[in-house]
Amino acid sequence: MDKRILDIFYSRDRNVAEITMQAIYREYQDILEPKIVGMLELDKNCFSEERNQYDADLLLTKLRKNKNLFLWVVHDDIFSDDLNFVFGCAIPLKGAILSTFRLRSKDLIEKEAIHEIGHVLGLTHCKNECVMMFSNSLYEAILKPKNLCDSCREKLRKVYGYV
Ligand SMILES: [Zn+2]
Ligand SMILES: [Zn+2]
């Protein structure tokens, strides 16, 4: 099966985009061909003065028409719906946004990038020891493993022929 291209955009820091690209390549190399496309600045219209955060769902609509799957790495804090903040937010089979604002280490950035791309590929949250475990605190994010569990891998294998 042909690999799908994953376009990576960043709002400020190309080095962080490189980190996510390498992590995504390591975990999903049989399915995805990640490449850095370039800088895409945050639209001020997606900023909530009241919350002092960007609206992740609104930002995602900016890339709605992107031909390839995508990941947009941003550095400002983001929220979604009634959640106080999110590390990332994904539209299955389209793309995701990832905020490094609360992710203080390379390890956490890699983990959350792998998590969001799991959603992009159609995975839902997982109850195993798995990178797809739900986490909405830094503590939970630190505790979860960096890789997919066997059951999530198997799901991807069925759909994409992942080995
Ligand atoms: Zn998730
Ligand atoms: Zn899993």
Side-chain angles (χ1 to χ4, degrees):
M1 192 178 284
D2 282 343
K3 288 200 228 177
R4 283 135 207 263
I5 296 170
L6 177 85
D7 291 339
I8 301 177
F9 300 90
Y10 56 94
S11 69
R12 279 210 290 273
D13 185 348
R14 189 184 171 99
N15 291 333
V16 177
E18 296 270 358
I19 289 171
T20 64
M21 181 173 78
Q22 280 158 22
I24 292 162
Y25 183 75
R26 279 196 302 274
E27 193 68 28
Y28 301 108
Q29 54 188 300
D30 299 318
I31 305 176
L32 294 174
E33 182 94 42
K35 65 176 175 70
I36 297 178
V37 175
M39 180 143 94
L40 183 62
E41 282 179 41
L42 296 180
D43 182 343
K44 285 279 171 215
N45 291 325
C46 302
F47 186 74
S48 159
E49 296 287 348
E50 190 188 325
R51 304 183 56 134
N52 200 31
Q53 290 171 307
Y54 281 89
D55 183 326
D57 304 291
L58 271 185
L59 287 171
L60 276 171
T61 64
K62 300 282 160 192
L63 280 164
R64 198 178 50 219
K65 298 220 172 83
N66 200 62
K67 178 165 68 72
N68 298 321
L69 298 174
F70 65 85
L71 176 69
W72 189 7
V73 186
V74 306
H75 307 288
D76 294 86
D77 203 17
I78 56 175
F79 72 95
S80 175
D81 293 328
D82 49 1
L83 295 172
N84 287 336
F85 71 88
V86 289
F87 297 127
C89 187
I91 305 174
L93 313 178
K94 285 213 75 87
I97 186 165
L98 174 72
S99 164
T100 62
F101 188 80
R102 293 165 192 268
L103 304 172
R104 303 272 157 78
S105 71
K106 180 169 177 272
D107 193 59
L108 279 171
I109 292 168
E110 292 175 337
K111 222 183 258 187
E112 291 304 318
I114 292 168
H115 180 99
E116 291 309 325
I117 296 306
H119 285 314
V120 172
L121 292 172
L123 294 175
T124 51
H125 287 140
C126 179
K127 299 231 180 322
N128 299 332
E129 274 295 303
C130 177
V131 72
M132 292 312 293
M133 286 169 87
F134 176 71
S135 56
N136 71 338
S137 72
L138 203 51
Y139 180 70
E140 289 170 315
I142 289 167
L143 286 185
K144 76 180 173 187
K146 202 165 165 177
N147 302 95
L148 295 171
C149 71
D150 289 344
S151 142
C152 286
R153 261 175 217 288
E154 187 55 33
K155 283 181 198 160
L156 291 182
R157 194 177 292 128
K158 280 193 184 126
V159 181
Y160 302 99
Y162 184 65
V163 254

